[in-house]
Amino acid sequence: MLRGLVLGAALAAGLAAVNNASASGVPDAINTGVRWEVYKSHWSEQDEAGYSAFVQAIGRSKCSSLDSCLKSDANPYRSSVDPDLPGDCADMAYVLRAYYAWKNGLPFSYQNAMRTANGKREDLRYSTGGNAVAGRRQILNYVSNAPAFIARIGGEVSTAMFRTHPEKGGGRSHDDFYPVAISREAVKPGVLAYDIFGHVGIVYDVLENGRVLIVASHPDNSVTRTAYGPNFMRSKPELGAGLKAWRPIYVDGAEKDSDGSLLGGKLRAKENAALKTFSMEQYFGNTPHPSGEWHHGEFRHNERTLKYYDYVRRKLAASDFAYDPVDELRFGLQTICGDIKSRKAAVDAAYFSRVHLKPHPEKLPPNIYGTYGEWEEYSTPSRDARLKVSFIELRRDTQQLYEEAKAGAPGIEYDGDDLAGDLFQAFEEEKNACTYTYWRSDNTRMRLNLGHAMERLWLLSFDPYHCPERRWGANGAELETCTDDAEKSQWYNAQRFLRYQARRTYDIRMDFALAELKPPMTASPENGGLGSDAPADADIRDYLLSLSSAVLANNDEPVWATPIVLKTDEQDNFFPAWHKNGGETAQ
């Protein structure tokens, strides 16, 4: 009763606003001060719809960090009492959910401690058998300082929280998420996309053509946009990969105070059997294999067996959807352009922190893809791996769509009469439209384009202790300003086989000294033979040139223009070109 007297009629009036959604579809705030009162025992369908609209607005905006997202016009709840909230990908997933719950008087809970499911002592973010929940925080009635509670989340969560077996998530030690069916009803803004290689994004749009758009934060606090695809790798069920929704929770047995806020009760969570959108389809396919082996299941759609990501796309697309090879190439290149520019933010952060001027550590981290401290904050091996996979997959997809279009395969649509020529023209236009700059060691700036990034893909250094020229794969005169000494140059050369590797490996020891690194052709990983023998084919332009003698004859000049040295600063557009068009390709 005391809480009701203290809070007074203002909050009671605020409670009435829960059913009054703004024009954006986001309900008006109930809690406007620092106190987090819980007025509702569970998240209703309207609450979930409001959360979807809230996330969608954040994703569609131009905010470039978690903190700037919450302080931007995209957030209708922003106020002077909000805390500063930097954060990486896992932080963003939890913070947005908690922030919305605070403002809307909803219960909230999060798992703040994990253990490996098989008892092994491993890095929980990359455990080989997945994790189980070991601890939890919750808000059932109230918390007096919501900003402090939410600010604490970032120090307690990581991608380890998403690495749980989907069939063991209900019950007393429930996890926070569950895998969803591949349908428009289930895959919607607010759903999470978990990559077992230490990354998680948030769905903010599902387009009529089936594309699933993702917003995500990173260790350098930058927020980027991309599309769901092979960059979010499928894996065995134990690791919990894929598209996951928040598991519904409710406060059981609570009473209501005079102002409508909850008193007492216990936290409960819905089990999988009670969730209408729960599905193991992402793991076993919609046609599971009789053996029960997850990777042998098939994804069948319209009497065709499809690859998983193609299946997701077609299931979520409008019924009359057909692939346009030229449009697919443009979208893929624009997405890659956004990835390149988000990589630039990470490399620039290392440059401005002068990490490249520090001595190189005597050894690599225990694993370059998953570590802590300065290496995690400023290195880019995971970003670079995703970039390589994007180029490789786009090269393969372009070839597949070209061959299917020429064969008259169903589900492909092309209205022109020169597909090879149109594909090449699209590549050239997108390549020239995608420009970015970087600071060299002498404080001059170089302007490059997407073509440079593709040409140098296997030369881009992920090592934050290398000069910025090497971070961008420079050679010749462009490299002359590099400040790396002989030892750092030796490190760069020794890491070339790691650069050739597009697949991230978290279960391999990597803390070798310079003298211990060896070519993978001559030594096992246990003995310092890290990486791949040779890079995969990621040269999209070369493939397009091979399609037509006419295209080849008219484009035999050098592939890329010479990089341009800039004397003044230039601002780079941080987002994929399709972002400003609501997910549609810009032409």
Side-chain angles (χ1 to χ4, degrees):
M1 183 68 69
L2 178 61
R3 289 193 292 131
L5 293 173
V6 171
L7 294 169
L11 277 179
L15 179 59
V18 72
N19 294 318
N20 299 323
S22 67
S24 66
V26 180
D28 295 335
I30 293 175
N31 291 316
T32 57
V34 298
R35 191 177 179 88
W36 182 341
E37 286 283 350
V38 177
Y39 292 94
K40 302 187 72 176
S41 62
H42 66 284
W43 289 59
S44 67
E45 290 185 5
Q46 291 77 16
D47 293 319
E48 292 291 358
Y51 181 65
S52 288
F54 172 69
V55 169
Q56 185 175 71
I58 294 290
R60 288 179 174 179
S61 76
K62 294 185 177 181
C63 64
S64 57
S65 68
L66 173 56
D67 194 53
S68 69
C69 288
L70 289 174
K71 292 177 179 176
S72 73
D73 292 345
N75 175 19
Y77 302 128
R78 64 192 184 279
S79 75
S80 59
V81 303
D82 292 353
D84 294 331
L85 290 168
D88 61 13
C89 59
D91 301 340
M92 185 175 195
Y94 275 98
V95 164
L96 290 186
R97 186 76 172 180
Y99 183 90
Y100 183 87
W102 165 32
K103 297 295 184 175
N104 286 276
L106 292 162
F108 178 73
S109 175
Y110 72 97
Q111 49 209 41
N112 70 327
M114 307 295 286
R115 59 175 176 80
T116 58
N118 56 17
K120 291 184 178 180
R121 296 178 61 85
E122 298 176 305
D123 187 326
L124 290 167
R125 297 170 300 171
Y126 314 109
S127 57
T128 55
N131 300 326
V133 179
R136 173 172 297 282
R137 296 193 190 281
Q138 58 194 35
I139 297 180
L140 306 183
N141 299 157
Y142 77 96
V143 64
S144 59
N145 191 330
F149 180 92
I150 295 175
R152 182 179 189 175
I153 292 174
E156 294 187 319
V157 301
S158 72
T159 52
M161 277 60 193
F162 303 86
R163 204 177 189 85
T164 54
H165 195 300
E167 290 183 314
K168 300 177 180 178
R172 186 174 181 180
S173 59
H174 68 273
D175 65 10
D176 290 332
F177 316 102
Y178 69 94
V180 297
I182 305 302
S183 69
R184 299 285 296 199
E185 178 187 13
V187 182
K188 55 189 177 182
V191 162
L192 302 158
Y194 172 53
D195 173 15
I196 63 167
F197 292 138
H199 189 54
V200 65
I202 310 171
V203 174
Y204 73 89
D205 252 326
V206 182
L207 307 183
E208 286 299 303
N209 59 19
R211 288 181 178 127
V212 179
L213 305 187
I214 304 291
V215 61
S217 190
H218 301 273
D220 62 3
N221 293 322
S222 64
V223 166
T224 62
R225 281 79 172 170
T226 189
Y228 182 71
N231 48 342
F232 291 87
M233 184 179 174
R234 282 186 71 223
S235 187
K236 59 184 180 181
E238 291 88 339
L239 302 186
L243 297 164
K244 307 158 76 107
W246 286 89
R247 183 176 298 279
I249 59 172
Y250 59 98
V251 184
D252 186 30
E255 298 180 354
K256 286 203 171 184
D257 203 346
S258 59
D259 66 343
S261 62
L262 300 189
L263 293 171
K266 292 185 177 181
L267 179 74
R268 308 289 188 199
K270 285 191 176 182
E271 298 194 9
N272 295 337
L275 303 171
K276 63 181 180 179
T277 58
F278 172 85
S279 174
M280 296 293 286
E281 176 184 13
Q282 297 179 61
Y283 306 101
F284 295 98
N286 63 346
T287 308
H289 194 269
S291 68
E293 291 289 339
W294 72 272
H295 53 280
H296 291 324
E298 293 185 348
F299 295 93
R300 301 280 299 171
H301 183 64
N302 291 340
E303 300 182 353
R304 297 176 62 195
T305 298
L306 305 174
K307 294 180 180 179
Y308 169 68
Y309 300 101
D310 188 17
Y311 172 78
V312 171
R313 181 83 181 274
R314 291 184 183 276
K315 277 292 295 289
L316 298 180
S319 58
D320 60 349
F321 167 72
Y323 284 108
D324 179 333
V326 177
D327 181 67
E328 294 301 311
L329 177 61
R330 285 190 184 276
F331 184 90
L333 291 172
Q334 291 172 11
T335 301
I336 287 173
C337 182
D339 293 341
I340 292 169
K341 291 176 178 179
S342 70
R343 181 186 190 273
K344 164 191 155 51
V347 175
D348 280 355
Y351 171 81
F352 289 119
S353 296
R354 298 324 219 193
V355 179
H356 64 291
L357 298 179
K358 296 182 178 182
H360 198 285
E362 292 183 4
K363 295 183 177 182
L364 292 176
N367 189 283
I368 63 171
Y369 301 104
T371 186
Y372 298 95
E374 197 167 63
W375 183 276
E376 182 190 34
E377 186 171 357
Y378 296 114
S379 70
T380 55
S382 292
R383 281 183 190 263
D384 293 358
R386 287 192 290 268
L387 184 63
K388 292 164 188 172
V389 167
S390 294
F391 270 115
I392 293 167
E393 292 295 330
L394 185 57
R395 158 70 177 80
R396 293 173 180 170
D397 290 347
T398 301
Q399 179 175 352
Q400 178 181 339
L401 289 175
Y402 176 81
E403 293 173 351
E404 290 182 350
K406 301 300 285 186
I412 306 295
E413 182 179 88
Y414 170 67
D415 297 330
D417 56 9
D418 181 14
L419 181 54
D422 288 345
L423 285 170
F424 186 82
Q425 180 180 351
F427 177 86
E428 288 295 299
E429 290 174 356
E430 296 301 336
K431 177 203 74 177
N432 294 329
C434 177
T435 63
Y436 59 98
T437 63
Y438 80 88
W439 290 96
R440 291 198 298 177
S441 301
D442 65 348
N443 293 329
T444 59
R445 284 171 71 83
M446 299 295 294
R447 185 169 67 215
L448 309 177
N449 64 34
L450 183 146
H452 295 104
M454 190 175 77
E455 179 189 38
R456 304 170 176 196
L457 188 61
W458 310 103
L459 300 174
L460 304 177
S461 174
F462 52 76
D463 191 326
Y465 299 97
H466 284 146
C467 65
E469 292 87 344
R470 283 205 164 109
R471 299 297 301 275
W472 290 106
N475 52 45
E478 185 185 345
L479 185 60
E480 290 178 359
T481 53
C482 177
T483 55
D484 287 358
D485 57 20
E487 181 182 350
K488 287 188 178 183
S489 296
Q490 291 171 4
W491 271 109
Y492 179 78
N493 185 56
Q495 292 170 0
R496 68 188 182 280
F497 298 107
L498 279 168
R499 292 194 298 274
Y500 292 166
Q501 178 173 301
R503 184 174 61 91
R504 290 161 283 172
T505 49
Y506 292 88
D507 57 345
I508 293 177
R509 175 205 159 201
M510 296 183 176
D511 54 347
F512 292 99
L514 177 59
E516 296 173 321
L517 288 176
K518 300 177 179 65
M521 306 84 77
T522 64
S524 66
E526 295 78 11
N527 293 313
L530 304 179
S532 298
D533 298 359
D537 183 4
D539 195 330
I540 300 168
R541 188 180 193 272
D542 187 61
Y543 168 71
L544 297 177
L545 287 174
S546 74
L547 297 179
S548 168
S549 57
V551 171
L552 180 61
N554 294 326
N555 294 277
D556 58 356
E557 294 298 318
V559 178
W560 325 118
T562 302
I564 300 173
V565 179
L566 303 170
K567 297 300 184 183
T568 58
D569 191 6
E570 283 193 354
Q571 294 296 321
D572 292 297
N573 184 350
F574 193 73
F575 307 105
W578 49 254
H579 180 64
K580 63 183 178 183
N581 300 321
E584 299 298 330
T585 51
Q587 300 185 31

